[in-house]
Amino acid sequence: MPQTAGAADAARIMREAIALHQQGRITEAERGYAEILKRFPNHPGALQYLGVIHSQKGDHAKALELLDRSLASNPRSAAAHYNRANILRDMNRPEDALRGYDDALTLDPKHVSALINRAAVLRSLERYADALGSYDRAIAIAPNEVNAHHGRGIALGELSRHDEAIAAFDRALVLSPAKAELLISRGHALRSAGRHGDAARDFLRAITSDEKNANAYAGLASTLMELRHFSHAVESYDKAMALDPDWIELNYGRSSALIELRRYEEAVAGFCKLLALRPDYPYASGMLVHARNISCDWSDPGAAADLIARVRDEKKAASPFAMLEISDSPPDMQQCARIVMRDKFEPGH
């Protein structure tokens, strides 16, 4: 009788702890799980959810240890396999994470979250066709799952199936019309399809939905570059960089726009800032040399020779246009063109 009463009390504490966990009251939930484990050290549920809390805190090693103990106690828990796979994903162990999601799906083939997270890991491995299959399975089970349609659109875009990607984002937006990240993804797909005006409208809608979203401003800036609205592009780059000062890569697009506006000194400063932090940033060295040349800035006399050497070493250092300013060697120009063609147009690049 006492054991039965103890188990009933543990079940009550477990329900309360899960409710607290769902409300984001992590510290209180953790105390509840720990209290259960004092009485029942191998309680699979308490071990599992305490592991999830450690994962949320960034202690993935401890989280994995707790999930392993939970599965040793109850190996047929699809939820535990799923949460363990999420931890492995966060530990940058994608192949192990995939096996974990597959284990969860063996026990529960209709585990939609496992299918969606599995697809996201496949995308990270650039296995886009496999990811698409996982998203399709999720949608067959849960047709109104926004994240599945969103992820499916991203996978289709990576497969250069842009019209299908746009259709997938359209479906997701029917389900969640004002979601900024969906609008941003659809904007990128529209850009890839050459529909720059429509893309700009989506990025503007995303900004209206979330005015603090740096990705929306960056997407708009890139689209405005395609539309040759360079002054507005600089404004959008500035807003993106104000929201995310660590996004130093935006200096490339912003500085390129400044060249078009003949604001050469600012362009030089932007490329210098980028290269100070990312010395091998593709084509930035060539753009810096270009910006200095057209502004009659001869402060770095060795830059041209260094750029030619890097191109000869098969580095993505300069565009053919920038190379033309510093070399009249046909072999150098051919090498530069080959690098760009391989980078921009060959599969896998």
Side-chain angles (χ1 to χ4, degrees), residues 308 311-312 323 327-338:
I308 292 169
V311 169
R312 290 174 180 172
M323 193 70 173
S327 175
D328 58 3
S329 164
D332 286 344
M333 294 302 301
Q334 289 174 355
Q335 171 80 325
C336 183
R338 279 195 296 269

Side-chain angles (χ1 to χ4, degrees), residues 87-106:
I87 294 165
L88 292 164
R89 174 203 60 196
D90 294 342
M91 295 175 76
N92 197 28
R93 292 170 56 181
E95 298 292 349
D96 291 333
L98 286 176
R99 283 189 284 272
Y101 292 128
D102 286 342
D103 288 340
L105 289 163
T106 297

Side-chain angles (χ1 to χ4, degrees), residues 10-30 32-33 36 45 49 53 56:
R12 176 187 58 78
I13 296 171
M14 188 70 183
R15 288 192 299 272
E16 292 172 355
I18 290 173
L20 291 165
H21 200 164
Q22 291 171 338
Q23 296 167 27
R25 296 162 65 178
I26 302 298
T27 301
E28 296 166 85
E30 184 175 7
Y33 299 138
I36 294 169
Y49 292 115
I53 285 179
Q56 291 173 316

Side-chain angles (χ1 to χ4, degrees), residues 83-252:
N83 284 315
R84 184 178 185 274
N86 288 340
I87 294 165
L88 292 164
R89 174 203 60 196
D90 294 342
M91 295 175 76
N92 197 28
R93 292 170 56 181
E95 298 292 349
D96 291 333
L98 286 176
R99 283 189 284 272
Y101 292 128
D102 286 342
D103 288 340
L105 289 163
T106 297
L107 293 164
D108 181 4
K110 295 186 177 182
H111 197 307
V112 172
S113 294
L115 285 165
I116 292 173
N117 287 9
R118 178 180 184 271
V121 171
L122 288 166
R123 275 177 32 218
S124 75
L125 296 171
E126 300 184 0
R127 292 170 55 184
Y128 302 115
D130 292 336
L132 189 59
S134 198
Y135 284 126
D136 286 342
R137 286 174 60 191
I139 291 168
I141 298 163
N144 294 329
E145 177 54 59
V146 173
N147 291 333
H149 290 286
H150 188 180
R152 184 173 185 272
I154 294 171
L156 286 163
E158 294 290 351
L159 293 167
S160 297
R161 294 162 59 178
H162 302 304
D163 289 341
E164 293 175 81
I166 293 166
F169 295 134
D170 286 345
R171 176 58 185 156
L173 284 164
V174 168
L175 298 166
S176 184
K179 189 174 182 182
E181 292 304 325
L182 276 174
L183 290 163
I184 292 167
S185 293
R186 186 175 184 270
H188 287 307
L190 288 164
R191 278 188 62 208
S192 298
R195 295 169 55 184
H196 303 299
D198 291 335
R201 281 186 282 276
D202 269 6
F203 290 125
L204 286 168
R205 287 174 61 198
I207 290 166
T208 300
S209 177
D210 180 5
E211 63 181 14
K212 301 296 185 182
N213 194 310
N215 289 325
Y217 285 105
L220 178 60
S222 298
T223 305
L224 291 169
M225 290 289 287
E226 299 284 354
L227 294 169
R228 303 190 64 79
H229 296 167
F230 300 115
S231 180
H232 292 307
V234 171
E235 292 174 5
S236 291
Y237 279 124
D238 286 342
K239 289 176 181 176
M241 294 166 75
L243 289 166
D244 188 352
D246 294 330
W247 196 351
I248 56 98
E249 293 84 356
L250 293 178
N251 278 288
Y252 185 92

Side-chain angles (χ1 to χ4, degrees), residues 14 36-37 39-49 64-78 80-81 84 107:
M14 188 70 183
I36 294 169
L37 290 172
R39 308 181 193 185
F40 304 96
N42 296 317
H43 191 287
L47 288 166
Q48 178 187 170
Y49 292 115
L64 188 61
E65 174 196 333
L66 289 164
L67 265 294
D68 285 342
R69 286 174 57 193
S70 175
L71 283 166
S73 181
N74 180 17
R76 297 196 57 77
S77 168
H81 282 288
R84 184 178 185 274
L107 293 164

